[in-house]
Amino acid sequence: MSKPLEGIKIIDFTHVQAGPACTQLLAWFGADVIKVERPGSGDVTRNQLRDIPDADALYFTMLNSNKRSLTLDTKTQEGKEVLEKLVRESDVLVENFGPGALDRMGFSWERLNELNPKLIMASVKGFSDGHHYDDLKVYENVAQCAGGAASTTGFWDGPPTVSAAALGDSNTGMHLAIGILTAIIGRGQTGRGQKVAVSMQDSVINLCRVKLRDQQRLDRIGYLEEYPQYPHGEFSDVVPRGGNAGGGGQPGWVLKCKGWETDPNAYIYFTIQGHAWEPICRALGKPEWISDPNYATAQARQPHIFDIFATIEAWLADKTKYEAVDILRKFDIPCAPVLSMKEIANDPSLRASGTIVEVPHKERGSYLTVGSPIKFSGLKPEITGSPLLGEHTDEILAELGYSKDQIANLHASRSV
């Protein structure tokens, strides 16, 4: 089966998570992603949080599948010459260095454009160019705080809270992948490459747009009716933390199920949508609520919302989260079990769909990783193991036209 991005060569100058998540996605869809790493050490995540001594850490393997690894010391003249050859033959260069690092290396945008006018240079940044924090070093939780996610996450009586989901890192990588693909299509129209940049702050803000919506509503009317603070609580002039309330205007909460005393994930998320109110009442054995004026409309229910959730929780007391969802889904009620990562790792549906895949690795044996979250009718990405450090160096150098003797000399000079 041919892959849509076959023939696209990408220089992957990224490390840690945001950039590698971007390039891994493109590799899944057929791009030849050449991960350029420092000889002897490579991406720092190769040895971060190791669970097997002297083997690449899962942090690295789960973000770098389907790639090739080229070790290259760009501080040497020979290393710079290799990179120049690679730039001339590539379609995209992706980087997440600190500001000015490529310029100091001798590969400014102007130089790259001179070497290959069709090259697309894609960058992960902490903040957008010109932002007053554009020189600030940014990691995942920094981005979540700067992007508004932390201030609106957690409970109203507690501090701002970061999410376990990689809103700053992998989310930024997904945005950058969209930018790269758009630039590739644009190049087909103009014949020229361009710079593409995505900031981590911007990517988090993009996922927080409903909270920006709420800020404007709050500014106008002084309250937010779908938040737990309404109608009895008080609102300040900023969007509050809403606990487990739904962000889309449908009241929802995490509720205990059978076994919660010993299982920290024996819960379901239960959402009360207007059109589902009658089925909810029937499922709970509360048909009298359907026509009760205290419950019949969303506005009438809001003052009683936690009493309603308490009633649902009492109904859940003798049911596991799976039993509860199996009952409730027959009534078309929006809900889901709170799944642990162990349950996700072993979920047969996720294995069958390719969302969770087991892949072989030369050092680790097999390991679990996340497959493509995007599903196609005519493409099923094959997920392969991440490369060992420098595994494809000689292969790539040969493709660039280096002879065996020249490759040996590069090794001898420690340029690769």
Side-chain angles (χ1 to χ4, degrees):
M1 184 183 295
S2 63
K3 298 177 182 177
L5 298 185
E6 281 183 355
I8 299 294
K9 182 174 287 187
I10 298 175
I11 302 171
D12 183 0
F13 251 132
T14 69
H15 53 282
V16 191
Q17 186 175 170
C22 166
T23 52
Q24 178 175 252
L25 188 73
L26 301 176
W28 287 342
F29 302 153
D32 179 14
V33 175
I34 299 173
K35 188 173 181 72
V36 181
E37 302 184 78
R38 186 179 302 168
S41 56
D43 190 320
V44 66
T45 59
R46 283 186 182 272
N47 55 36
Q48 276 191 348
L49 307 176
R50 271 182 168 154
D51 59 315
I52 300 176
D54 301 322
D56 287 334
L58 287 166
Y59 199 175
F60 178 85
T61 64
M62 295 179 71
L63 287 159
N64 291 282
S65 58
N66 294 60
K67 301 178 185 180
R68 297 196 287 169
S69 173
L70 164 69
T71 51
L72 189 64
D73 185 353
T74 56
K75 292 181 180 179
T76 68
Q77 184 57 39
E78 295 85 354
K80 291 181 189 295
E81 290 172 1
V82 172
L83 182 55
E84 285 190 1
K85 285 179 179 287
L86 191 56
V87 166
R88 292 182 190 277
E89 297 191 9
S90 296
D91 297 280
V92 184
L93 184 151
V94 189
E95 61 89 19
N96 62 346
F97 292 122
L102 272 181
D103 293 3
R104 293 188 295 273
M105 196 187 296
F107 291 90
S108 64
W109 164 243
E110 291 72 24
R111 177 59 178 153
L112 292 170
N113 192 243
E114 179 185 324
L115 290 168
N116 183 354
K118 291 187 175 183
L119 185 76
I120 294 160
M121 188 179 89
S123 302
V124 173
K125 296 178 173 293
F127 296 87
S128 292
D129 286 345
H131 192 284
H132 55 279
Y133 286 153
D134 64 4
D135 61 344
L136 189 65
K137 196 165 189 175
V138 177
Y139 293 115
E140 172 65 53
N141 293 347
V142 175
Q144 289 195 32
C145 290
S151 71
T152 54
T153 303
F155 284 83
W156 45 89
D157 56 353
T161 305
V162 297
S163 168
L167 307 181
D169 276 326
S170 285
N171 169 47
T172 301
M174 301 303 103
H175 279 83
L176 188 62
I178 294 169
I180 289 169
L181 295 174
T182 302
I184 289 173
I185 294 172
R187 185 181 63 183
Q189 299 166 346
T190 66
R192 297 192 64 84
Q194 60 179 305
K195 290 168 63 176
V196 180
V198 177
S199 87
M200 296 172 74
Q201 181 192 39
D202 291 355
S203 297
V204 175
I205 289 173
N206 188 37
L207 294 192
C208 290
R209 65 178 64 200
V210 297
K211 300 302 181 180
L212 184 59
R213 171 205 68 187
D214 293 346
Q215 183 62 56
Q216 294 173 87
R217 293 169 55 228
L218 182 64
D219 290 342
R220 184 174 296 276
I221 61 177
Y223 62 90
L224 299 167
E225 63 185 30
E226 75 280 16
Y227 279 66
Q229 290 86 339
Y230 179 86
H232 303 301
E234 296 182 358
F235 288 87
S236 69
D237 61 349
V238 299
V239 174
R241 291 183 276 282
N244 289 314
Q250 306 297 339
W253 210 251
V254 172
L255 302 175
K256 299 172 184 174
C257 294
K258 180 181 178 181
W260 67 270
E261 298 90 345
T262 55
D263 181 355
N265 294 298
Y267 293 79
I268 68 168
Y269 193 83
F270 192 103
T271 301
I272 298 174
Q273 285 186 309
H275 74 272
W277 179 242
E278 183 173 335
I280 288 170
C281 296
R282 298 195 185 285
L284 298 176
K286 289 284 189 180
E288 66 274 15
W289 278 0
I290 297 172
S291 57
D292 188 326
N294 291 317
Y295 298 95
T297 67
Q299 188 173 14
R301 287 191 292 274
Q302 189 60 31
H304 313 291
I305 196 67
F306 283 106
D307 293 333
I308 294 170
F309 286 138
T311 299
I312 298 170
E313 203 165 64
W315 179 84
L316 292 167
D318 63 348
K319 303 170 184 66
T320 69
K321 60 187 178 184
Y322 297 111
E323 291 169 342
V325 170
D326 280 344
I327 294 170
L328 296 171
R329 66 179 179 168
K330 294 175 184 176
F331 291 85
D332 199 24
I333 296 168
C335 61
V338 173
L339 296 178
S340 68
M341 295 312 300
K342 187 177 183 72
E343 289 168 316
I344 286 172
N346 295 315
D347 189 303
S349 294
L350 295 176
R351 296 290 189 102
S353 70
T355 299
I356 299 294
V357 294
E358 188 169 341
V359 297
H361 187 270
K362 293 181 176 67
E363 292 178 341
R364 298 187 57 89
S366 64
Y367 66 95
L368 288 185
T369 191
V370 178
S372 174
I374 306 168
K375 309 297 192 258
F376 303 88
S377 62
L379 170 67
K380 186 172 183 179
E382 178 187 1
I383 311 301
T384 61
S386 61
L388 303 181
L389 179 62
E391 179 179 349
H392 304 95
T393 296
D394 290 1
E395 174 182 289
I396 294 166
L397 291 173
E399 291 171 1
L400 292 174
Y402 286 88
S403 67
K404 289 183 178 179
D405 288 343
Q406 289 173 317
I407 293 172
N409 288 335
L410 285 169
H411 281 290
S413 68
R414 298 185 179 179
S415 294
V416 297

